[in-house]
Amino acid sequence: GENVEQHPSTLSVQEGDSAVIKCTYSDSASNYFPWYKQELGKRPQLIIDIRSNVGEKKDQRIAVTLNKTAKHFSLHITETQPEDSAVYFCAANTNSNTGKLIFGQGTTLQVKP
Amino acid sequence: ETGVTQTPRHLVMGMTNKKSLKCEQHLGHNAMYWYKQSAKKPLELMFVYNFKEQTENNSVPSRFSPECPNSSHLFLHLHTLQPEDSALYLCASSQGQGVKPQHFGDGTRLSIL
């Protein structure tokens, strides 16, 4: 079946450094790739998304890149801050009609001050 | 942000009880979703509704029974649950199906005794 693999499962960086989280997907028909941030005890919040008609999207310190040929996409956070510490989930849609998303396993990011 | 509201926030029930989870969205969306979030597992889609019609059932056991009376409300009726059903149940909504951003509620933390 369809799946999304996410790496690494944990990531620790020093404040000010960059963080990169990578995901691969299996369904070649996937065309929508959101990223969610979930702080402890809180709801997942959409931080950025990308559609398959573009290769890169940026929003301030956050960027996402997509390689359709290789079926992988990555989240890049620059100038990390302690408040970036959270669990980050990538996802890919598998059915454009129903909005079904398959999520990665999550990456726990710790930004050390 | 109170766009998607879930009640109750916490629920403890025995395996023979019957209870219901409620979700309400105030975003004017017309698609709603139920997800299950277990420890150390990816977010799992359970059901999708679009304009009150179920469009996706991700092979969910019949002890979970969803109900969508209108585009703003979604229920998950629970009966004869098992201990492995203990998890965080998240509701989400989006403006239409397909490649549309999904916005999550805070979830209901369910514990089965």
Side-chain angles (χ1 to χ4, degrees), chain A:
Chain A
E2 310 95 349
N3 75 306
V4 174
E5 295 288 332
Q6 182 172 347
H7 298 282
S9 57
T10 60
L11 180 59
S12 182
V13 300
Q14 209 64 38
E15 182 177 0
D17 288 350
S18 295
V20 180
I21 303 171
K22 298 182 178 181
C23 290
T24 58
Y25 60 98
S26 60
D27 188 351
S28 55
S30 296
N31 59 359
Y32 176 64
F33 308 90
W35 285 89
Y36 286 85
K37 173 185 180 183
Q38 188 175 27
E39 297 176 63
L40 192 62
K42 295 191 176 181
R43 69 183 70 188
Q45 288 199 303
L46 180 69
I47 56 172
I48 196 167
D49 57 12
I50 190 168
R51 287 164 172 74
S52 59
N53 57 343
V54 297
E56 184 174 359
K57 184 176 178 181
K58 194 171 182 180
D59 182 4
Q60 299 182 340
R61 296 187 296 109
I62 294 173
V64 58
T65 58
L66 171 65
N67 183 327
K68 286 175 56 180
T69 303
K71 289 194 281 189
H72 67 70
F73 55 113
S74 300
L75 178 72
H76 304 254
I77 306 174
T78 58
E79 301 171 32
T80 54
Q81 301 166 3
E83 50 266 38
D84 294 329
S85 297
V87 180
Y88 290 81
F89 294 95
C90 64
N93 70 327
T94 64
N95 186 326
S96 293
N97 293 324
T98 66
K100 180 178 179 179
L101 293 176
I102 302 295
F103 281 80
Q105 299 91 330
T107 296
T108 301
L109 173 64
Q110 182 186 27
V111 180
K112 298 178 182 176

Side-chain angles (χ1 to χ4, degrees), chain B residues 14 21 27 36 44 52 68 71 73 93 97 107:
Chain B
L21 310 185
L27 300 169
K36 177 183 179 182
E44 299 174 72
K52 305 187 299 179
C68 189
S71 295
H73 293 85
S93 70
Q97 294 185 133

Side-chain angles (χ1 to χ4, degrees), chain B residues 21-85:
Chain B
L21 310 185
K22 179 182 176 182
C23 177
E24 183 174 1
Q25 59 93 5
H26 306 277
L27 300 169
H29 292 166
N30 44 43
M32 297 187 77
Y33 310 76
W34 278 118
Y35 285 88
K36 177 183 179 182
Q37 187 174 34
S38 306
K40 302 188 187 299
K41 291 180 72 175
L43 273 158
E44 299 174 72
L45 178 69
M46 300 175 73
F47 302 102
V48 182
Y49 278 82
N50 189 43
F51 286 106
K52 305 187 299 179
E53 299 298 319
Q54 187 181 111
T55 55
E56 185 83 41
N57 177 337
N58 199 28
S59 304
V60 180
S62 59
R63 57 186 184 271
F64 295 91
S65 176
E67 178 189 0
C68 189
N70 54 60
S71 295
S72 299
H73 293 85
L74 185 64
F75 296 88
L76 189 62
H77 303 300
L78 316 171
H79 63 97
T80 325
L81 294 194
Q82 304 298 309
E84 60 265 27
D85 296 324

